Every structure is written in structure tokens, then in C-alpha cells.
Amino acid sequence: MPLYEYICPAGHRTEVLARLGDPAPASCPHCEDESPVARTLFAPAIHFKGTGFHNTDNASNRPRSGALG
């Protein structure tokens, strides 16, 4: 299940572990006045594992910048 982050107009941030089809929270759990929340966007964590990725992209098959033909 993905982890979503929501923010209210007062600046409170809330993380919710929910299914893709689950509805968004109706209000901020920190505010007493039932403030609406909006989903925030953030970059996911990416981990590259294994040997060097730059060595496997067929750089030896590319023509050199000074080569003709």
C-alpha cells in the first residue's frame, strides 16, 4: 500500500497509509475546525543497485564526436 502525505491550510502534515482507491481524509486530524486537506507531491526514494549503470549503456558503440561517417 502506498503512503500519501496530506497538508491542511494551517500547515499540519499527515501521512496516511491507504489503498489507491481509498478516499482522501475529509479533514485534518490536528485541527479542531475540520480544515480540508490536500495531497502533496514529493519525489519517491529510488535506489540503484548493482554494478555501474553508466558502464552498461553501450557507450562503446556510439560514434565519437570527431569521427566522420
Side-chain angles (χ1 to χ4, degrees):
M1 278 192 275
L3 182 68
Y4 295 106
E5 185 177 26
Y6 295 92
I7 188 168
C8 75
H12 298 121
R13 293 183 178 268
T14 305
E15 291 181 345
V16 177
L17 186 66
R19 292 186 177 110
L20 188 62
D22 287 350
S27 62
C28 177
H30 303 287
C31 295
E32 295 178 6
D33 61 352
E34 301 293 322
S35 298
V37 294
R39 186 182 295 174
T40 60
L41 299 176
F42 56 92
I46 299 175
H47 299 283
F48 295 107
K49 296 182 179 181
T51 58
F53 290 93
H54 58 86
N55 293 333
T56 61
D57 59 348
N58 300 326
S60 62
N61 294 336
R62 293 186 204 152
R64 296 183 182 196
S65 61
L68 297 175

